[in-house]
Amino acid sequence: MSDPELIEQLARYYRVSGEYSDWAGKPVSVPTEYKLPILGAMGLNVESDDSIKQAIADIEQQKWQQPLHPVSVFTKGQSYQVSLYLEDQQLGHLFEGEIILETAGHHSLTLNTSDMPIEASRTFEGRTYHHLTFNLPDALPLGYHRLSLQSDKMQDSALIIIAPETCYEPERLGSGNKLWGCAIQLYTLRTDHDWGIGDFSGLSQLATQLAEQGADIVGLNPIHALYPANPLHASPYSPSSRTFINPLYIDITAITDFRECEEAQRQFEDPEFKEQLQQARDEEYVDYSLVAWLKFGFLNTLFDHFHKQHLSPESSRGKAFLDFCRNRGPALERHALYEAIYEHYKKLDINNWGWPCWESQFQNPESGAVKEFASHNRKRIQYYMYLQWLAEDQLTKAQEAAIEAGMLVGIYRDLAVGADTGGADVWSHRDLYCLDAGVGAPPDGVAPQGQNWGLPPFNPQVLIAQQYQPFIEMVQANMNHCGALRIDHVMGLLRLWWCPKGKTADYGAYVYYPLNDFLGIIKLESHRRQCLVFGEDLGTVPPEIEASLPPALFYSNEVALFECLGDHFTLPQDYKPMALTCVSNHDIPPLKAWWNCLDLDLRLQLGIYDHNRAQQEKEARHREKLALLKTLSNVHEFPEGMNPQDISTMEYSRDLMEKVHYYLAKTASKITVIQLEEVLQIESPVNIPGTSEEYPNWRRKLTDTLENIFADESNRSFFNNMSVIRKGG
């Protein structure tokens, strides 16, 4: 191994951390040799002491030889102090500068370096550089501004971001009101009109009917773009792109072109199609292949109609599409280009899973081969842009329906922690992702070897060099057409556990990111889009997150089933007020399965637990159930007929489900959400973490339609009680 001191020095420069506290609060030191593959994944040559010394010299010189840092993020009202690095011969010169405001105004600057104190100096290869600082005008407005400086011997520019102090928070929440709603996996929704999968029209219907019951929010799983040509890739947390939308959620019958197109109407009335449609609806689990065959068959027909009737003659509808394409810019076109190339290769080889399987000339989006493909396949690229236009339009209408029905927040969206290696995001920004590492989690009590989710991380240095543009675009896209954004694994704004390629996660280390800069961008976009923000902060939360997020009005995420404190659960008044709280989520079994230990039986069946472990977990679960009953009694919500001293009385019941949620409704948390699975008393989970082929993750549907759910008087009474309790009744 190379000199440990050199490795540690390089690791500090690239913010690869060697110390952290584990899930039990014990300090952990990462061995120095574990950091080498992490540094190598960043593109550094770490093969020898000499190469490591060169990498250290390069990063040091880069800092001092670049006059302006590429991007600086400031909070409104604080000092806007900018660093400037100059060589000896540049000292004493006048620099003319300009700040071009995002709003098209500008501020002029004149800097006399003779009047600027030297903060520090360094010499490299006989050339001395000096660090100076200067302040920008206090009157800079919120937004993205361009700073440029020049003299007769130097010219440079930087992005200046001015952010508000906090994220946006609706006035009603800020004044102490409490909200409730539902959180759903969109694909699970059943309606009388679905095509075998939940869709945006079903979302509109759910939001409207929930609003009638007094709800103010409806939450979604990630609706990121997956792979239209590979519908079996179903995990919403392993998307092809976090910036675009999964077109399988489009409601075909709600498209204007469907109503206009005679061919589509004929196809819809075809008996064979009707039979296939009914089969898709009747399936217990989403049949993604069948759903994709049904929907994309129609979408191809509708695009041909749209292209002929609207796009070619540039009707008002055609112009609306072109406006959408211009507004979304090159990112949309590149995403659609990826989809078209992926489709091409999927037809050639069904095992093609992404761009690493393509011929080398197609792996680079800037190559001549890719540009030639784009010129020859313009219509197909427009088809995929058309899908995004339809999806955004229907999502927009769903949010509008929620607000018009009286919801305060409406839809909240979910931002996944990463993107799939073979997808559009990574292909479009190859230099931004470190493909020889995967994001995951360090070892803990549940996963002794840690977790590797296989998602390539952002390279922090490249992200800064690109002035955070990919991050900004991603945040903007996910705050569109909604009232709130949930950020999965929010600790990733501070640090991510990098797992080296070919190694288990226990060989990983934490890599740190610019938390305050990320928060500034999120706060700015939150206010611009009036979008509430909360983060999934379950598990080990580092102190930097706890210190930074609450003052920024960044809501937390709490799960009631994790709140067991020995012989009782957290009392309602002790929950965090600034939080979204639920009983369970997509990674936790439904309440009925939890109560009946069905999740533990399933883990035993799948080989995740052995018999001893399963029995230990069941004994612990029984103690948790007793603790929960004790807490329900303390808050006057004890389920009828249960006696903790008599096991025969402790069967799961509808009354238990309601009482647990009334306890949830009484918490101090400003927002509480329920899963529709609980109302239907579903036992099977939508996802079992750590499994792939062993269990049909991300496929299980609800067991009844929205029409029936909201027609049921017991459900309506339950929803009404949630509203009454949340309002203090």
Side-chain angles (χ1 to χ4, degrees):
M1 187 180 75
S2 298
D3 184 343
E5 291 188 10
L6 288 174
I7 298 172
E8 292 294 345
Q9 185 179 356
L10 185 61
R12 284 192 295 272
Y13 273 116
Y14 283 90
R15 306 191 72 192
V16 182
S17 176
E19 310 292 333
Y20 69 96
S21 296
D22 70 6
W23 62 280
K26 297 178 181 179
V28 178
S29 294
V30 174
T32 297
E33 62 267 26
Y34 288 10
K35 300 176 185 179
L36 273 176
I38 300 296
L39 294 165
M42 293 179 176
L44 303 173
N45 184 345
V46 291
E47 296 298 320
S48 66
D49 284 355
D50 287 342
S51 63
I52 294 174
K53 288 177 183 177
Q54 185 61 53
I56 292 170
D58 290 344
I59 188 72
E60 288 179 336
Q61 291 183 41
Q62 180 184 345
K63 173 184 175 182
W64 288 84
Q65 293 175 351
Q66 187 171 14
L68 293 171
H69 191 66
V71 55
S72 296
V73 183
F74 300 105
T75 299
K76 185 70 174 176
Q78 297 180 355
S79 174
Y80 306 154
Q81 189 177 77
V82 177
S83 292
L84 180 63
Y85 294 88
L86 298 176
E87 285 192 67
D88 257 338
Q89 64 268 29
Q90 294 171 323
L91 292 179
H93 286 238
L94 285 176
F95 285 80
E96 297 298 324
E98 184 179 39
I99 304 171
I100 300 176
L101 303 179
E102 187 181 13
T103 54
H106 68 93
H107 287 269
S108 297
L109 297 173
T110 300
L111 302 180
N112 186 347
T113 56
S114 300
D115 299 333
M116 298 166 63
I118 296 176
E119 306 287 340
S121 301
R122 288 289 301 273
T123 299
F124 300 99
E125 300 175 349
R127 303 175 74 170
T128 301
Y129 298 84
H130 305 282
H131 175 205
L132 301 87
T133 59
F134 64 96
N135 289 327
L136 300 177
D138 294 338
L140 289 180
L142 301 178
Y144 303 95
H145 314 304
R146 180 66 54 183
L147 167 66
S148 62
L149 287 178
Q150 61 181 11
S151 69
D152 55 346
K153 295 185 177 180
M154 188 278 288
Q155 182 173 343
D156 203 6
S157 65
L159 180 66
I160 304 296
I161 303 175
I162 309 297
E165 293 184 11
T166 67
C167 295
Y168 168 79
E169 183 183 44
E171 185 177 346
R172 265 179 56 194
L173 279 177
S175 59
N177 286 278
K178 296 180 180 179
L179 313 181
W180 77 277
C182 282
I184 61 162
Q185 304 284 303
L186 183 53
Y187 58 86
T188 68
L189 286 189
R190 290 181 187 265
T191 64
D192 289 342
H193 56 77
D194 74 64
W195 283 33
I197 190 173
D199 56 38
F200 290 126
S201 291
L203 177 60
S204 295
Q205 182 179 339
L206 173 63
T208 300
Q209 292 182 297
L210 279 174
E212 292 175 359
Q213 307 302 313
D216 280 295
I217 191 168
V218 55
L220 299 180
N221 60 291
I223 54 172
H224 305 317
L226 298 178
Y227 296 86
N230 181 20
L232 293 181
H233 184 112
S235 172
Y237 290 95
S238 182
S240 171
S241 173
R242 292 188 286 173
T243 302
F244 296 97
I245 298 175
N246 184 354
L248 275 185
Y249 291 130
I250 295 170
D251 175 7
I252 304 298
T253 59
I255 303 171
T256 299
D257 304 305
F258 176 80
R259 296 189 293 271
E260 293 180 355
C261 179
E262 293 182 3
E263 173 62 19
Q265 295 292 327
R266 185 193 63 76
Q267 290 180 25
F268 187 73
E269 296 302 328
D270 182 84
E272 183 178 349
F273 167 78
K274 293 283 190 182
E275 182 179 342
Q276 297 282 350
L277 178 60
Q278 193 59 50
Q279 178 184 334
R281 287 174 173 164
D282 291 343
E283 294 286 347
E284 179 182 359
Y285 294 88
V286 178
D287 184 338
Y288 283 102
S289 294
L290 177 56
V291 169
W293 181 79
L294 293 171
K295 288 202 171 189
F296 291 129
F298 270 83
L299 286 167
N300 277 290
T301 298
L302 296 181
F303 178 70
D304 285 341
H305 167 87
F306 171 78
H307 192 277
K308 181 178 180 181
Q309 299 297 325
H310 296 288
L311 190 55
S312 293
E314 291 197 16
S315 69
S316 59
R317 181 166 170 78
K319 289 177 181 177
F321 168 71
L322 294 173
D323 287 344
F324 167 80
C325 295
R326 279 191 291 270
N327 290 336
R328 293 306 304 267
L332 172 63
E333 182 137 6
R334 180 161 288 191
H335 176 78
L337 173 59
Y338 171 89
E339 298 279 40
I341 299 175
Y342 184 96
E343 179 186 46
H344 166 76
Y345 275 100
K346 195 69 174 177
K347 289 178 180 177
L348 297 177
D349 180 3
I350 196 171
N351 294 316
N352 165 46
W353 55 270
W355 63 264
C357 300
W358 303 348
E359 296 167 280
S360 59
Q361 64 265 36
F362 282 90
Q363 295 183 11
N364 177 5
E366 299 295 340
S367 73
V370 169
K371 291 177 181 177
E372 183 178 2
F373 180 94
S375 66
H376 291 157
N377 294 273
R378 182 61 187 163
K379 184 178 178 182
R380 198 59 185 165
I381 293 168
Q382 285 182 323
Y383 163 75
Y384 283 109
M385 296 165 78
Y386 171 76
L387 298 189
Q388 290 302 314
W389 179 52
L390 297 177
E392 285 210 19
D393 178 64
Q394 292 193 2
L395 178 60
T396 300
K397 289 175 179 174
Q399 174 65 1
E400 290 172 350
I403 299 304
E404 289 172 4
M407 282 192 167
L408 176 65
V409 176
I411 294 166
Y412 82 68
R413 296 178 65 176
D414 193 355
L415 176 61
V417 70
D420 186 56
T421 299
D425 279 357
V426 178
W427 180 75
S428 298
H429 302 282
R430 284 275 301 282
D431 56 340
L432 180 58
Y433 291 89
C434 296
L435 301 183
D436 287 333
V439 174
D444 58 27
V446 176
Q449 285 192 312
Q451 300 176 57
N452 184 348
W453 305 322
L455 306 170
F458 281 147
N459 186 324
Q461 298 295 323
V462 175
L463 193 59
I464 291 169
Q466 295 184 5
Q467 300 178 329
Y468 300 135
Q469 287 304 316
F471 182 82
I472 293 169
E473 289 180 9
M474 180 181 70
V475 172
Q476 290 173 337
N478 283 276
M479 285 188 180
N480 282 339
H481 324 303
C482 63
L485 177 65
R486 174 188 183 270
I487 298 180
D488 189 47
H489 192 65
V490 74
M491 285 77 78
L493 297 177
L494 169 71
R495 67 185 189 186
L496 286 172
W497 184 259
W498 285 30
C499 311
K501 189 174 183 179
K503 296 282 188 179
T504 53
D506 52 340
Y507 285 88
Y510 274 116
V511 175
Y512 277 72
Y513 288 80
L515 170 65
N516 290 330
D517 288 3
F518 284 172
L519 280 182
I521 292 165
I522 291 169
K523 289 186 292 186
L524 176 59
E525 295 300 335
S526 168
H527 271 275
R528 289 188 161 184
R529 287 161 172 76
Q530 295 196 329
C531 186
L532 181 70
V533 182
F534 46 90
E536 185 269 297
D537 53 354
L538 304 173
T540 303
V541 182
E544 297 94 330
I545 291 290
E546 292 180 330
S548 300
L549 268 55
L553 296 184
F554 206 117
Y555 278 49
S556 185
N557 187 194
E558 300 206 295
V559 176
L561 290 182
F562 290 166
E563 293 295 319
C564 185
L565 304 174
D567 68 343
H568 68 285
F569 275 61
T570 300
L571 294 175
Q573 64 269 24
D574 294 331
Y575 276 77
K576 294 177 184 176
M578 205 167 65
L580 178 141
T581 302
C582 54
V583 170
S584 62
N585 63 23
H586 60 271
D587 282 337
I588 302 170
L591 182 60
K592 185 175 183 179
W594 181 89
W595 186 268
N596 291 333
C597 297
L598 299 179
D599 60 314
L600 305 180
D601 291 337
L602 190 53
R603 285 178 171 269
L604 175 62
Q605 177 186 332
L606 296 175
I608 300 172
Y609 289 165
D610 59 23
H611 285 279
N612 288 337
R613 175 68 183 276
Q615 187 58 38
Q616 291 171 1
E617 294 290 338
K618 286 185 178 182
E619 291 170 1
R621 181 68 56 80
H622 182 69
R623 293 191 292 270
E624 289 180 316
K625 289 192 286 185
L626 294 178
L628 181 56
L629 288 176
K630 179 179 179 180
T631 304
L632 294 179
S633 178
N634 290 339
V635 299
H636 310 294
E637 295 295 351
F638 195 84
E640 293 181 12
M642 279 199 178
N643 179 359
Q645 306 304 318
D646 184 354
I647 193 70
S648 67
T649 68
M650 290 185 61
E651 291 185 3
Y652 187 83
S653 65
R654 166 82 185 211
D655 187 51
L656 172 64
M657 181 278 291
E658 293 190 358
K659 296 297 175 58
V660 169
H661 283 87
Y662 297 155
Y663 154 70
L664 179 76
K666 290 181 177 181
T667 62
S669 300
K670 292 184 180 180
I671 305 175
T672 60
V673 293
I674 63 177
Q675 309 280 341
L676 285 183
E677 284 88 343
E678 312 294 13
V679 177
L680 295 170
Q681 301 187 66
I682 292 174
E683 298 178 342
S684 55
V686 295
N687 173 52
I688 300 179
T691 65
S692 54
E693 300 301 321
E694 303 92 333
Y695 183 82
N697 294 323
W698 316 116
R699 289 166 170 79
R700 195 263 292 132
K701 302 183 195 179
L702 297 180
T703 54
D704 209 344
T705 64
L706 293 182
E707 289 83 358
N708 290 338
I709 290 172
F710 286 95
D712 187 294
E713 284 301 322
S714 61
N715 292 339
R716 296 175 69 86
S717 176
F718 169 57
F719 294 144
N720 179 68
N721 289 342
M722 290 292 295
S723 291
V724 171
I725 296 172
R726 288 264 83 190
K727 293 175 182 176

